[in-house]
Amino acid sequence: MSIEVLKERLRGGRTTSGNVWQEAPCGVVKSEGANEQEVVEPTLEQSSVVVTEVAGESLEQSSVVGTRVAGISADPGNAAGPVELGHPEAAKAPGKPSDAEVLAEWERSGVRFAASAERLEQVHDAARRRLLDCIVPTQDLGPILQEGGVYRGCWLESTGTINSELLARFVPSVAANTYLGFAKLQREDGLLPYKITEHGAVFRQIQLVTPLARSAWNYYQLSGKPQAFLRSMYDALAGFDRWLAEWRDTRGTGCVEAFCTFDTGHDGSPRFWHVPDTPHLGDPQRVDPHSPVLPFLAPDMTAHVYCQRLYLAKMAEALGEPEADAAAWRAKAKQTLDSLFRHCYDAEDAFFYDRDRQGEFVRVQSDVLLRVLACEVGDRDFFDEALRRYLLCTRKFFTKYPFPSIAMDDPRFNPNSNYNSWAGPTNFLSIIRTAHAFELHHRYVELTWVMQPLLSAMSRMTRFSQTLCPWTGDEGYTEAYSPAILGVLDYVERLCGILPVADEEGSLWFTGLVPYAMDHGTEVAEETAYSRTVDGVAFELFNTREGSEICRNGETWMRFPYGLRVVTDRKGGLLGVIGMVSAPVTGTVKYEGREIPVTAKGNEWLVFENGGFASKRDIGIVYPTY
């Protein structure tokens, strides 16, 4: 497919053609070879989900077929979203009053995607449609993001943080409502709710993973730096920090303590065997006094507070608080980091573990490592060692479809993805938390190795599940799950789209890659087209293996070789390029009537200055281990 054909499809509004799901909307499509697909009809047992416990919430046993939960469609038949989204008029038909406003905001973002292979394009369109099911007016907060599937509400560990951090690039008003909802419903003593439901705030546990301060700060950076928003979030998070210091450091170590399984959202993980799912008597301030192991000094929760304090320092500065306040936050962050390494880090294993009441490490190697790294713990050398020993090691976490929730060589590893489990399957929450950990240390090429097989799995998705099988990429538990929906939107934009970056420069990333055929040689998308509107400027990116083209307001703006990421300011002014593949990329960047020679090694950052490219960072590549 030529770039001209991609332009015609993207601009003509025909962003989905054909309907491979129309014949079997409830089926699971499995690839049987490079050119064949077989539709497997679900049995009654497969099309029903029987739930007795979801994140501690007791539910009645029932089929999900034909039901709706808090505005979230639970009908597997709706997995045929691409059928509807193949037609622009269907995509603009709101199902509830708030949908019209959300759709209008999506349209203002200008985000559209077209691809040579229709399946990934259809999944992307389905994600856009199913996202509406997860945006629900709640209490007096306006439309907020809900978790989706069987999860009735908005969880702080996910929906209220990392999910909304991704959503802010597409529907920023809903992300803001979601963040502010937690601040508005904060308890007088400073505790934030761990979830928000149609009935109000719930405070039974805490559930800390992605720092809300980081998510709120990124929204602030991307959305014109609204001071009132930042003030509300800063005050709420400062109060929450005081609560955690008072109630979750009973052992006086400076670490943050887990009183139960649900404090970290690690349902079913061997990390918490023989530990109750909820705090003592349902009180987040109490730990079981008779437990032989609790409270745990929890590395992920401690890292969360470390990172949160770093961003509270940034917020204090942006709000014009006294410099002493920002300095105090940084000093507290350093104290927390010191406590994390003193109590939860095993230098011999180079891994973070919980430490139990008896002072013993809970030696379960889990995605706690990824969580800690995503909280900005460690420098690049530290991160690179984690890549070599764990994240890119095929004996540990580098499964065919990364990242499993437990290391594969742990005897407790169980890849079963058919229930809510953090005992082995790849969870979409881990998938969407991954990018920040890698990109913080400029490990862009290595991140593509994670993304490529996952995009292959995403191209086969029919219902947006919580989990994937780390061996096969097949969908697992539940459906219409917002982390999976947003995972599709994020990975497409990050690998082959136009991504606004929450940095001081207001950078835009135009990534000249296409999804690679990782499964049975089945094409995912050999050519792609993506559009996004930024500050009223309509940008388009067209990718083929021969090269990429950026258009600005319909006119060709730049051409560059395949395998590069072009970095611009918000107006499209060229700032530099990054090598996005392991081999050096050599060619010509055509920009403002000039042909500029370029050679970029993998992960190398070349700044554009004085009419040419100059290398400013060349960190090499960390390769997989076995």
Side-chain angles (χ1 to χ4, degrees):
M1 184 181 296
S2 70
I3 285 179
E4 293 307 314
V5 173
L6 285 171
K7 287 180 180 179
E8 181 182 348
R9 292 190 62 211
L10 191 72
R11 296 171 182 175
R14 186 167 173 260
T15 55
T16 303
S17 62
N19 255 320
V20 299
W21 290 7
Q22 190 167 19
E23 296 177 359
C26 298
V28 178
V29 181
K30 294 186 177 181
S31 176
E32 297 296 333
N35 301 307
E36 285 189 1
Q37 290 179 328
E38 176 186 357
V39 176
V40 181
E41 296 293 341
T43 65
L44 179 61
E45 180 181 357
Q46 290 170 329
S47 64
S48 301
V49 176
V50 177
V51 182
T52 57
E53 187 80 5
V54 178
E57 300 302 317
S58 181
L59 304 176
E60 294 182 3
Q61 294 186 352
S62 63
S63 165
V64 299
V65 176
T67 65
R68 291 183 67 85
V69 177
I72 299 167
S73 172
D75 179 1
N78 288 341
V83 175
E84 299 173 6
L85 287 170
H87 308 282
E89 56 277 5
K92 295 177 181 177
K96 53 185 180 295
S98 62
D99 286 356
E101 182 179 344
V102 172
L103 282 168
E105 190 167 0
W106 179 285
E107 289 299 318
R108 288 194 295 273
S109 76
V111 170
R112 309 190 83 166
F113 174 63
S116 55
E118 296 165 0
R119 288 193 57 84
L120 182 60
E121 183 179 315
Q122 290 171 335
V123 171
H124 187 274
D125 283 350
R128 179 179 61 174
R129 181 60 186 158
R130 297 312 299 268
L131 184 62
L132 287 175
D133 293 338
C134 298
I135 295 173
V136 183
T138 304
Q139 298 275 307
D140 60 350
L141 306 177
I144 68 171
L145 185 63
Q146 293 205 0
E147 194 79 0
V150 298
Y151 298 97
R152 307 176 183 184
C154 176
W155 268 255
L156 179 61
E157 66 149 316
S158 49
T159 340
T161 49
I162 186 61
N163 298 10
S164 290
E165 190 170 322
L166 303 185
L167 182 68
R169 304 205 306 264
F170 306 99
V171 192
S173 70
V174 176
N177 287 348
T178 306
Y179 297 142
L180 290 168
F182 283 92
K184 290 176 181 177
L185 295 173
Q186 185 172 29
R187 221 163 63 173
E188 288 186 5
D189 64 356
L191 179 62
L192 292 178
Y194 85 88
K195 75 171 178 178
I196 301 169
T197 74
E198 59 186 324
H199 304 296
V202 188
F203 295 93
R204 185 184 56 189
Q205 61 247 16
I206 53 179
Q207 293 200 214
L208 302 186
V209 185
T210 299
L212 177 53
R214 188 194 89 194
S215 298
W217 176 259
N218 287 345
Y219 169 85
Y220 169 79
Q221 291 284 87
L222 286 173
S223 303
K225 300 186 175 180
Q227 294 292 298
F229 167 84
L230 196 67
R231 169 57 65 185
S232 295
M233 298 308 301
Y234 176 78
D235 291 345
L237 290 165
F240 188 39
D241 185 89
R242 290 191 293 271
W243 187 94
L244 289 168
E246 180 176 1
W247 294 105
R248 288 305 183 101
D249 186 17
T250 64
R251 294 164 61 179
T253 63
C255 294
V256 183
E257 295 168 353
F259 288 2
C260 64
T261 303
F262 292 160
D263 273 344
T264 69
H266 256 156
D267 302 36
S269 172
R271 172 188 183 189
F272 288 107
W273 281 356
H274 312 298
V275 167
D277 284 340
T278 59
H280 188 54
L281 304 180
D283 184 346
Q285 297 174 186
R286 301 179 68 181
V287 65
D288 179 3
H290 304 297
S291 171
V293 295
L294 292 179
F296 282 174
L297 308 182
D300 45 352
M301 297 170 69
T302 304
H304 171 285
V305 168
Y306 160 72
C307 189
Q308 188 114 298
R309 288 173 166 176
L310 291 180
Y311 281 86
L312 281 166
K314 294 178 187 247
M315 290 179 171
E317 290 176 336
L319 289 167
E321 295 292 311
E323 175 56 33
D325 290 359
W329 284 121
R330 292 192 179 94
K332 288 181 178 180
K334 184 180 184 305
Q335 292 169 0
T336 305
L337 184 65
D338 291 344
S339 296
L340 172 68
F341 276 93
R342 183 180 307 115
H343 297 287
C344 298
Y345 183 67
D346 184 311
E348 184 176 344
D349 288 356
F351 208 90
F352 294 94
Y353 300 110
D354 298 294
R355 194 181 285 272
D356 75 7
R357 186 175 183 173
Q358 309 307 322
E360 296 290 331
F361 278 136
V362 182
R363 293 188 181 276
V364 177
Q365 293 185 343
S366 72
D367 73 311
V368 158
L369 175 64
L370 184 61
R371 292 178 172 197
V372 170
L373 295 171
C375 285
E376 306 186 6
V377 170
D379 59 14
R380 185 184 300 131
D381 288 341
F382 186 86
F383 183 74
D384 290 353
E385 182 65 12
L387 289 181
R388 280 186 287 266
R389 292 187 64 168
Y390 293 104
L391 296 181
L392 294 183
C393 177
T394 61
R395 184 183 295 270
K396 294 288 187 180
F397 290 95
F398 201 33
T399 49
K400 182 171 173 61
Y401 301 91
F403 288 108
S405 39
I406 296 290
M408 288 178 286
D409 60 355
D410 189 304
R412 293 157 290 199
F413 172 77
N414 178 3
N416 188 343
S417 59
N418 293 325
Y419 60 99
N420 177 18
S421 168
W422 289 83
T426 297
N427 273 260
F428 264 99
L429 277 172
S430 291
I431 290 171
I432 63 177
R433 290 168 182 150
T434 295
H436 185 72
F438 279 68
E439 290 170 352
L440 177 69
H441 301 291
H442 312 295
R443 289 294 169 198
Y444 307 111
V445 172
E446 294 85 345
L447 179 59
T448 67
W449 302 339
V450 176
M451 295 171 67
Q452 288 285 15
L454 289 170
L455 277 166
S456 287
M458 290 173 183
S459 73
R460 296 186 272 119
M461 288 169 59
T462 62
R463 53 189 172 83
F464 303 107
S465 66
Q466 173 183 330
T467 59
L468 296 174
C469 174
W471 304 146
T472 66
D474 289 343
E475 291 178 280
Y477 180 68
T478 201
E479 53 88 38
Y481 184 61
S482 66
I485 292 167
L486 288 158
V488 170
L489 300 176
D490 177 57
Y491 271 34
V492 166
E493 183 161 278
R494 205 171 287 276
L495 187 90
C496 56
I498 306 166
L499 189 146
V501 182
D503 59 13
E504 289 297 332
E505 295 77 20
S507 303
L508 301 177
W509 287 353
F510 298 80
T511 306
L513 296 174
V514 296
Y516 197 81
M518 300 295 289
D519 293 339
H520 309 287
T522 302
E523 179 187 348
V524 181
E526 288 294 315
E527 295 91 18
T528 63
Y530 198 91
S531 66
R532 177 179 272 284
T533 300
V534 180
D535 298 340
V537 179
F539 292 101
E540 299 164 320
L541 172 65
F542 303 96
N543 289 333
T544 72
R545 292 196 178 277
E546 284 68 49
S548 299
E549 179 178 316
I550 300 171
C551 289
R552 186 176 182 271
N553 291 331
E555 301 295 327
T556 298
W557 179 249
M558 195 183 314
R559 291 191 176 98
F560 60 97
Y562 179 85
L564 294 182
R565 169 175 284 163
V566 166
V567 182
T568 76
D569 60 25
R570 291 178 71 87
K571 295 181 179 180
L574 180 60
L575 299 177
V577 298
I578 299 170
M580 294 296 294
V581 291
S582 58
V585 174
T586 298
T588 300
V589 174
K590 297 181 180 179
Y591 174 65
E592 293 186 333
R594 289 172 288 169
E595 295 191 0
I596 308 162
V598 63
T599 296
K601 292 179 281 185
N603 291 322
E604 186 177 14
W605 162 242
L606 301 176
V607 67
F608 181 64
E609 57 185 15
N610 301 320
F613 292 106
S615 180
K616 294 296 184 180
R617 185 180 61 239
D618 183 7
I619 61 175
I621 293 172
V622 177
Y623 291 96
T625 59
Y626 306 95

